[in-house]
């Protein structure tokens, strides 16, 4: 019987989150506790990449983390960001977050609808003379670089932040009594192994979101009880609700 679920993500900021509906409907306790955290690299580390921020006329942002660490590093490096800098963001939410650092002007902020860089390509092609900088995590692939290459756009990728294990305290380790664990990235699986080297799954159900997370879990020898997304359940909350319904039968 599943009564206590650990969600390895930050607590939702909205009280309208589907997670709260699930907790009420099924009488389960949901604990939000990220297994990983993001931290910026130092200006000294950044300099070793031999990238000069002011050489670029446009930035591609794939997350709010990227925005935070881009502007933090720019300040540390005393890089004067031009008012004409253009910002290309994968979603409107990320685009609006830029207001935290610069005045939001539609003529220089562009965003897509799907959360993928592919959406931005037509807009970037219209600005083909820009020099694009792509701030990334230390954990990334070459997908964005390959997309920009396919349109012959000038670009440079750089690491501005890293994903690290959000270590559990001794008290948290002792109180680890969950019936189900939800993971959203391979880094979360790695953090489980780091914090609980002698982890025995037993009856604990494990859910993963995304094929790379599922593969990391299987490679770690874990039994997967729920894989999301699926054609019928594109979100973790939808998949989790269906899973809990099946448990009631």
């Amino acid at each position: 019987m599943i009564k206590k679920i650990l969600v390895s993500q930050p607590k939702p900021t909205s009280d309208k989150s589907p997670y709260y509906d699930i907790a009420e409907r099924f009488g389960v306790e949901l604990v939000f506790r990220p297994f990983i955290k993001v931290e910026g690299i130092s200006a000294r580390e950044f300099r070793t990449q031999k990238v000069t921020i002011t050489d670029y006329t446009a930035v591609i942002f794939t997350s709010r983390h990227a925005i935070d660490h881009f502007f933090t590093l720019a300040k540390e490096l005393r890089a004067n960001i031009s008012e004409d800098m253009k910002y290309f963001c994968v979603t409107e939410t990320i685009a609006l977050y830029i207001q935290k650092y610069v005045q939001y002007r539609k003529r220089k902020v562009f965003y897509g609808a799907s959360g993928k860089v592919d959406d931005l390509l037509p807009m970037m092609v219209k600005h083909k003379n820009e020099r694009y900088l792509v701030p990334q995590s230390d954990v990334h692939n070459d997908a964005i670089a390959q997309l920009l290459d396919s349109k012959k756009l000038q670009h440079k990728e750089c690491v501005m932040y890293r994903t690290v294990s959000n270590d559990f305290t001794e008290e948290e380790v002792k109180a680890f009594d969950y019936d189900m664990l939800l993971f959203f990235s391979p880094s979360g699986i790695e953090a489980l192994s780091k914090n609980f080297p002698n982890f025995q799954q037993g009856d604990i159900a494990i859910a993963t979101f995304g094929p790379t997370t599922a593969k990391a879990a299987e490679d770690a020898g874990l039994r997967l009880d729920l894989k999301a997304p699926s054609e019928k359940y594109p979100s973790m909350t939808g998949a989790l609700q269906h899973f809990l319904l099946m448990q009631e039968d």
Side-chain angles (χ1 to χ4, degrees):
M1 191 72 168
I2 291 174
K3 283 294 179 187
K4 191 174 181 183
I5 301 174
L6 178 62
V7 184
S8 61
Q9 280 191 329
K11 188 174 182 179
T13 52
S14 168
D15 56 8
K16 291 181 169 56
S17 167
Y19 279 113
Y20 297 130
D21 295 334
I22 289 171
E24 188 175 344
R25 180 176 176 182
F26 295 97
V28 295
E29 179 186 354
L30 293 174
V31 178
F32 296 92
R33 205 297 184 182
F35 274 53
I36 56 176
K37 61 184 177 181
V38 173
E39 60 182 29
I41 67 171
S42 66
R44 184 177 178 181
E45 284 178 282
F46 182 73
R47 286 192 189 98
T48 65
Q49 298 178 68
K50 295 183 167 49
V51 173
T52 302
I53 291 174
T54 51
D55 284 349
Y56 298 87
T57 58
V59 190
I60 299 172
F61 288 129
T62 56
S63 70
R64 287 185 289 188
H65 289 307
I67 293 174
D68 284 334
H69 297 299
F70 171 81
F71 285 104
T72 299
L73 266 176
K75 187 176 180 181
E76 285 180 31
L77 295 163
R78 296 187 176 86
N80 188 22
I81 305 297
S82 167
E83 286 191 7
D84 296 323
M85 179 75 86
K86 292 183 175 67
Y87 303 101
F88 292 79
C89 308
V90 293
T91 65
E92 184 179 10
T93 303
I94 293 170
L96 291 170
Y97 189 71
I98 289 176
Q99 292 177 105
K100 183 177 175 182
Y101 297 98
V102 295
Q103 188 178 358
Y104 185 97
R105 294 209 306 276
K106 284 188 177 178
R107 66 179 177 83
K108 69 173 186 178
V109 180
F110 309 86
Y111 57 85
S114 70
K116 296 180 180 177
V117 176
D118 309 54
D119 254 11
L120 295 170
L121 270 184
M123 289 177 258
M124 289 190 282
V125 169
K126 286 180 182 176
H127 297 86
K128 63 183 178 186
N129 294 324
E130 303 295 344
R131 297 183 301 280
Y132 291 91
L133 184 65
V134 189
Q136 295 183 325
S137 162
D138 61 330
V139 180
H140 63 268
N141 57 37
D142 297 327
I144 295 177
Q146 289 168 3
L147 274 174
L148 301 184
D149 281 342
S150 73
K151 298 298 181 183
K152 296 183 169 54
L153 297 169
Q154 299 178 69
H155 62 93
K156 177 70 177 178
E157 290 68 44
C158 60
V159 172
M160 287 193 170
Y161 52 101
R162 62 170 64 91
T163 304
V164 297
S165 172
N166 187 15
D167 290 348
F168 280 63
T169 63
E170 198 173 313
E171 289 73 23
E172 285 180 304
V173 171
K174 286 177 183 174
F176 198 84
D177 59 346
Y178 300 96
D179 304 307
M180 188 172 191
L181 311 177
L182 273 53
F183 292 100
F184 300 84
S185 72
S187 302
I189 301 294
E190 289 171 20
L192 174 70
S193 300
K194 181 187 175 189
N195 283 279
F196 302 91
N198 301 313
F199 178 74
Q200 297 292 320
Q201 184 173 357
D203 294 330
I204 299 172
I206 288 183
T208 57
F209 190 85
T212 56
T213 312
K215 185 177 185 307
E218 288 166 344
D219 289 349
L222 300 173
R223 182 192 71 251
L224 288 191
D225 300 276
L226 173 61
K227 286 185 190 180
S230 66
E231 196 171 325
K232 199 170 181 182
Y233 302 103
S235 68
M236 175 61 92
T237 48
L240 176 61
Q241 182 167 298
H242 176 71
F243 178 81
L244 293 174
L245 267 174
M246 293 299 100
Q247 297 298 301
E248 288 184 340
D249 291 345

